[in-house]
């Protein structure tokens, strides 16, 4: 499967989510390629520390994306694309090639407004001819207990009919520590709360992509 992580702003947990999912997929014995287009190259640096069998992470300039994608994609079970936190042409190229676009966002008005921008971009890509591109909003850096801001976010998501994951990522130390130690939550604390979140999220991702593949075959 090909999954892109997209946001037109930084600080939403995009690279953290990408890295944690990459680690979980490699734990399953699958070959994972991460194309890191983020200017900070966070996932590429983490991957060097993690040194996981089956994982390859490449830091790319936007102009190299199409060439590297064509050369490398066939050798892996999954391709994860960590896009830059800006809107530019590579974002559209990556989304057009994706089975699923994950849009991380905090439960805040600014983040949800930016998520709507990305959703509009996905609709444009589909209208231009890309088939079967799906998206899901992922709420990140959540407080453990419901707050007025969280309630507002859920109302806005419902009002705009945004598709979202049932799983959300709570603000936890394990997500920050993985970039210090190289150990993602599912490796550092396999039975911890962060690990359970990532496992549940991966289950949802695989179900969405599987449903898309089944629908394509039926068509």
């Amino acid at each position: 499967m090909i999954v892109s992580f997209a946001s037109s702003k930084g600080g939403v947990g995009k690279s953290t989510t990408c890295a944690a999912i990459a680690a979980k997929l490699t734990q399953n014995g699958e070959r994972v390629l991460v194309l890191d287009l983020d200017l900070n190259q966070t996932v590429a640096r983490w991957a060097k520390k993690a040194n996981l069998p089956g994982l390859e992470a490449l830091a790319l300039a936007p102009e190299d994306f199409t060439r590297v994608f064509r050369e490398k994609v066939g050798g892996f079970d999954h391709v994860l694309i960590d896009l830059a936190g800006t809107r530019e042409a590579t974002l559209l190229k990556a989304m057009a090639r994706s089975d699923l676009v994950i849009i991380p966002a905090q439960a805040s008005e600014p983040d949800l407004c930016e998520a709507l921008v990305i959703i509009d971009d996905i609709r444009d890509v589909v209208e231009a001819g890309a088939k079967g591109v799906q998206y899901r909003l992922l709420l990140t850096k959540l407080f453990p207990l419901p707050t007025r801001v969280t309630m507002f976010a859920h109302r806005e998501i419902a009002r705009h009919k945004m598709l979202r994951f049932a799983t959300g990522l709570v603000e936890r130390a394990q997500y920050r520590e993985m970039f210090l130690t190289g150990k993602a939550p599912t490796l550092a604390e396999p039975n911890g709360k962060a690990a359970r979140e990532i496992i549940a999220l991966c289950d949802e991702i695989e179900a969405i992509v599987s449903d898309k593949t089944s629908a394509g075959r039926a068509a």
Side-chain angles (χ1 to χ4, degrees):
M1 66 182 177
I2 302 172
V3 179
S4 290
F5 298 79
S7 172
S8 52
K9 69 188 294 292
V12 295
K14 178 173 56 60
S15 297
T16 299
T17 306
C18 178
I21 290 172
K24 179 62 178 73
L25 292 173
T26 59
Q27 278 182 269
N28 296 342
E30 297 173 292
R31 298 163 300 163
V32 179
L33 172 66
V34 177
L35 300 180
D36 188 349
L37 290 151
D38 192 284
L39 295 176
N40 295 319
Q41 301 181 357
T42 302
V43 180
R45 286 187 286 106
W46 163 79
K48 289 180 181 178
K49 285 185 180 180
N51 194 29
L52 294 172
L55 174 65
E56 182 175 350
L58 301 175
L60 298 180
E63 60 269 21
D64 295 328
F65 169 74
T66 301
R67 175 184 57 79
V68 174
F69 183 91
R70 288 172 178 164
E71 290 174 353
K72 303 286 288 189
V73 67
F76 294 86
D77 299 304
H78 306 294
V79 178
L80 307 184
I81 306 170
D82 187 24
L83 291 160
T86 58
R87 292 179 75 206
E88 46 87 31
T90 309
L91 181 143
L92 300 177
K93 292 179 182 179
M95 291 195 300
R97 292 166 167 80
S98 298
D99 298 304
L100 176 65
V101 180
I102 295 176
I103 308 170
Q106 296 185 67
S108 70
E109 192 272 346
D111 279 22
L112 293 178
C113 283
E114 294 301 323
L116 285 169
V117 172
I118 297 296
I119 292 169
D120 281 341
D121 286 338
I122 294 169
R123 288 170 179 157
D124 287 342
V125 165
V126 171
E127 288 174 4
K131 295 182 179 179
V133 181
Q134 300 194 72
Y135 82 87
R136 290 296 186 276
L137 180 76
L138 173 67
L139 289 177
T140 60
K141 302 186 178 182
L142 292 165
F143 292 105
L145 298 175
T147 66
R148 283 186 295 176
V149 174
T150 307
M151 293 171 65
F152 160 80
H154 286 298
R155 288 196 301 271
E156 285 297 285
I157 290 167
R159 184 168 72 89
H160 291 285
K161 298 180 179 178
M162 289 186 269
L163 301 176
R164 73 175 184 91
F165 288 105
T167 305
L169 302 188
V170 174
E171 180 69 62
R172 302 188 192 280
Q174 293 97 323
Y175 293 123
R176 297 181 182 274
E177 290 172 357
M178 66 183 285
F179 295 103
L180 293 175
T181 64
K183 290 187 177 181
T186 50
L187 288 164
E189 296 183 37
N191 297 314
K193 292 180 179 179
R196 293 201 295 271
E197 288 173 356
I198 295 302
I199 291 168
L201 181 58
C202 284
D203 287 344
E204 283 196 72
I205 291 168
E206 291 175 353
I208 292 165
V209 173
S210 177
D211 286 347
K212 173 200 166 182
T213 302
S214 298
R217 286 173 182 163

